[in-house]
């Protein structure tokens, strides 16, 4: 078994092998220096001695992987006679010296490159997919051996019993996310000339899950209960039902985000829970306040004028959070639990909190709100997203529309009347 992240593995002959990058790629292959011992610690110590000897090198060589420590990438300048594919070793064709980079090497380098270029939640998702799904399957394989057949078998296995806890089947959405992460790693390898092409793999279709909205009667019950309770949280429910803001946006919404003169609400942050990647013995997850999910989500929403006085007379200090009434934001899972209890008090069936957003979008369309205006209020990048994902005509609206159609009975009467 290899020691993940250390480039140390146990060979089939029983020896432990450690390796360090030894300069820039040669002919599309990564240069490595190898260290062998009968024990894991022995191989690790030899590699460590080599890396320490490189600390005096002023300028490391440039090459893959860019995100690995510079002491490793400096190896070629320090010891050119031991590098794979270097001119001095061109006559040595042993199996060890030709070893291509492992999938784990490339995947970890890709993660390191992504860490500062994507949101924390996105990085946490990538890291989870790599560590829990991809490395156990491909980690110790040479990346050039990750081909179509191996990928297809992997995806089919995940679909059948890929759950990391109980081996339960995974949804198409999760499989699609795993495949997407794998393809990103492979494209990264191709861009660094580690592989020539990204292998094709089986398509994964994600079915659109039907989304429910609140009925008119349920909306009225929700509004009546919120007005009756008149709490910070019930005010937040009314705000979501009348602005379409997301759960995470509501949880960290402060009164300072309102402009009473302009009658607008600014969305510039959101809160979510992600895996804790700091290590140690602390909690496995942590709550993060960050910018919204996309640039389009950073927006200013006009408020319906008739609710502005209602909101303003309940407003607190600019630094206070709307749904708590304090200077502490609410965690999303606390928001979901409180909303479930709120629904029971209102006497309505359980819905996801996000359905308040769907309901708002549908109400806007049925009341004739311009679709482009609605799309920007929701923070979507295009009108098509709004129409396809968030607009769900009610049965009453569908009935009214089909009643506009002239049926055979209407046409028959019109023809008789015209004779």
């Amino acid at each position: 078994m290899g020691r993940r992240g250390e480039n140390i593995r146990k060979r089939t002959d029983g020896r432990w092998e450690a390796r360090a990058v030894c300069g820039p790629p040669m002919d599309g292959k990564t240069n490595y220096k190898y260290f062998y011992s009968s024990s894991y610690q022995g191989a690790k110590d030899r590699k460590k001695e080599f890396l320490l000897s490189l600390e005096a090198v002023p300028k490391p060589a440039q090459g893959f992987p860019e995100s690995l420590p510079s002491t490793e990438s400096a190896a070629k300048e320090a010891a050119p006679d031991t590098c794979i594919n270097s001119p001095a070793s061109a006559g040595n064709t042993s199996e060890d010296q030709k070893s291509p980079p492992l999938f784990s090497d490339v995947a970890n380098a890709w993660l390191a490159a992504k860490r500062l270029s994507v949101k924390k939640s996105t990085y946490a998702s990538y890291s989870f997919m790599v560590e829990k799904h991809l490395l156990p399957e491909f980690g110790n394989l040479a990346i050039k051996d990750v081909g179509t057949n191996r990928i297809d078998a992997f995806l089919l296995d995940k679909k059948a019993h890929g759950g990391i806890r109980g081996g339960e089947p995974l949804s198409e959405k999760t499989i699609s996310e795993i495949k997407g992460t794998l393809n990103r790693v492979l494209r990264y390898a191709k861009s660094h000339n580690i592989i020539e092409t990204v292998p094709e793999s089986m398509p994964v279709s994600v079915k659109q899950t039907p989304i429910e909205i609140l009925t008119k009667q349920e909306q009225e019950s929700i509004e009546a209960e919120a007005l009756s309770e008149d709490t910070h949280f019930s005010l937040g429910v009314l705000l979501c039902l009348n602005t379409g803001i997301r759960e995470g946006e509501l949880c960290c919404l402060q009164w300072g985000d309102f402009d009473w003169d302009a009658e607008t609400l600014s969305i510039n942050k959101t809160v979510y829970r992600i895996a804790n990647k700091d290590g140690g013995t602390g909690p496995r997850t942590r709550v993060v306040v960050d910018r919204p999910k996309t640039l389009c989500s950073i927006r200013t929403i006009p408020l319906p004028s008739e609710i502005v006085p209602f909101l303003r007379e309940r407003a607190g200090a600019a630094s206070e959070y709307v749904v708590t009434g304090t200077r502490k934001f609410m965690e999303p899972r606390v928001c979901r639990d409180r909303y479930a209890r709120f629904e029971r008090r209102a006497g309505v069936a359980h819905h996801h909190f996000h359905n308040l957003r769907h309901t708002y979008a549908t109400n806007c369309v049925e009341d004739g709100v311009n679709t482009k205006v609605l799309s920007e209020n929701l923070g979507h990048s295009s009108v098509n997203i709004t129409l396809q994902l968030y607009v769900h005509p009610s049965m009453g609206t569908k009935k009214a529309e089909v009643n506009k159609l002239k049926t055979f009975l209407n046409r028959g009467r019109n023809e008789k009347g015209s004779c």
Side-chain angles (χ1 to χ4, degrees):
M1 295 290 293
R3 300 300 179 97
R4 187 175 298 169
E6 293 185 316
N7 278 343
I8 302 176
R9 69 184 181 97
K10 192 170 185 178
R11 293 161 46 90
T12 56
D13 62 6
R15 292 184 300 166
W16 283 90
E17 172 191 289
R19 63 178 180 174
V21 176
C22 192
M26 298 290 291
D27 299 326
K29 297 181 179 180
T30 304
N31 290 336
Y32 287 107
K33 179 174 175 61
Y34 294 84
F35 309 88
Y36 303 97
S37 177
S38 59
S39 65
Y40 160 78
Q41 190 61 46
K44 183 176 181 180
D45 289 343
R46 291 185 180 183
K47 175 182 176 181
K48 183 177 179 181
E49 290 178 7
F50 173 74
L51 295 178
L52 289 175
S53 71
L54 303 180
E55 291 185 353
V57 178
K59 183 179 181 180
Q62 300 299 314
F64 175 84
E66 297 172 356
S67 55
L68 292 181
S70 60
T71 52
E72 295 191 13
S73 62
K76 184 177 181 181
E77 183 173 343
D81 59 322
T82 58
C83 294
I84 306 303
N85 297 324
S86 67
S89 59
N92 194 328
T93 59
S94 69
E95 179 182 351
D96 291 336
Q97 289 181 322
K98 291 183 178 180
S99 297
L102 299 179
F103 178 88
S104 58
D105 298 330
V106 183
N108 289 327
W110 172 75
L111 279 176
K114 283 293 181 183
R115 190 177 192 112
L116 298 179
S117 63
V118 298
K119 287 183 60 179
K120 294 176 182 177
S121 58
T122 303
Y123 176 79
S125 176
Y126 287 160
S127 182
F128 179 85
M129 293 296 171
V130 168
E131 293 179 6
K132 301 299 183 180
H133 293 286
L134 300 183
L135 290 185
E137 176 70 18
F138 304 112
N140 289 326
L141 279 180
I143 194 166
K144 68 179 182 62
D145 293 334
V146 180
T148 297
N149 292 339
R150 184 71 182 250
I151 295 173
D152 287 349
F154 165 70
L155 295 176
L156 289 172
D157 180 70
K158 286 294 178 183
K159 184 176 183 179
H161 42 75
I164 60 176
R165 293 182 180 177
E168 65 279 4
L170 295 181
S171 67
E172 285 88 352
K173 183 177 183 297
T174 301
I175 295 172
S176 178
E177 291 172 351
I178 293 172
K179 178 183 175 181
T181 305
L182 173 59
N183 283 341
R184 289 181 177 93
V185 174
L186 294 173
R187 287 197 296 269
Y188 179 83
K190 182 178 182 296
S191 69
H192 286 77
N193 299 319
I194 304 301
I195 58 177
E196 294 183 0
T197 60
V198 175
E200 296 288 336
S201 56
M202 60 182 288
V204 178
S205 59
V206 180
K207 298 178 181 179
Q208 182 63 42
T209 304
I211 300 174
E212 296 181 356
I213 62 171
L214 301 176
T215 65
K216 297 300 181 184
Q217 183 177 356
E218 287 175 327
Q219 291 180 56
E220 292 174 359
S221 298
I222 289 288
E223 290 169 348
E225 181 65 26
L227 291 172
S228 174
E229 293 185 6
D230 198 14
T231 63
H232 295 292
F233 182 77
S234 64
L235 181 62
V237 173
L238 288 174
L239 198 56
C240 286
L241 196 54
N242 287 273
T243 62
I245 60 176
R246 300 179 178 93
E247 177 187 67
E249 295 168 346
L250 173 69
C251 286
C252 61
L253 184 67
Q254 296 172 286
W255 288 112
D257 296 323
F258 290 82
D259 186 331
W260 302 118
D261 294 332
E263 298 185 348
T264 59
L265 165 63
S266 295
I267 300 296
N268 49 45
K269 56 187 179 299
T270 189
V271 58
Y272 46 81
R273 181 175 289 276
I274 62 174
N276 190 356
K277 307 300 297 180
D278 294 336
T281 58
R284 292 186 298 177
T285 61
R286 60 192 176 100
V287 178
V288 174
V289 175
D290 201 355
R291 56 185 171 83
K293 57 188 298 186
T294 64
L295 290 177
C296 294
S297 295
I298 301 175
R299 63 200 189 277
T300 299
I301 304 172
L303 297 167
S305 295
E306 64 180 19
I307 73 170
V308 172
F310 177 83
L311 295 172
R312 190 168 190 175
E313 62 185 35
R314 287 163 176 76
S319 60
E320 291 181 0
Y321 291 90
V322 174
V323 289
T324 64
T326 67
R327 295 187 178 183
K328 180 176 176 58
F329 60 81
M330 180 176 287
E331 292 189 31
R333 63 183 180 185
V334 173
C335 180
R336 289 190 287 272
D337 290 342
R338 292 196 59 177
Y339 181 64
R341 294 195 295 270
F342 175 87
E343 284 180 310
R344 290 195 290 270
R345 294 194 299 272
V348 302
H350 175 63
H351 296 275
H352 294 296
F353 190 90
H354 200 72
N355 286 358
L356 295 174
R357 177 173 167 87
H358 301 316
T359 303
Y360 164 79
T362 303
N363 287 342
C364 286
V365 171
E366 294 182 350
D367 290 342
V369 175
N370 180 278
T371 309
K372 177 62 175 175
V373 171
L374 171 60
S375 180
E376 293 187 359
N377 286 350
L378 291 172
H380 292 159
S381 58
S382 72
V383 173
N384 288 337
I385 295 177
T386 306
L387 293 175
Q388 292 173 7
L389 300 181
Y390 289 90
V391 179
H392 316 282
S394 66
M395 184 54 67
T397 299
K398 293 177 182 179
K399 186 72 173 176
E401 289 300 312
V402 299
N403 281 337
K404 297 177 182 179
L405 177 68
K406 290 183 179 181
T407 67
F408 61 93
L409 292 177
N410 288 330
R411 285 194 294 272
R413 284 196 294 269
N414 290 339
E415 289 173 0
K416 290 180 181 180
S418 61
C419 292

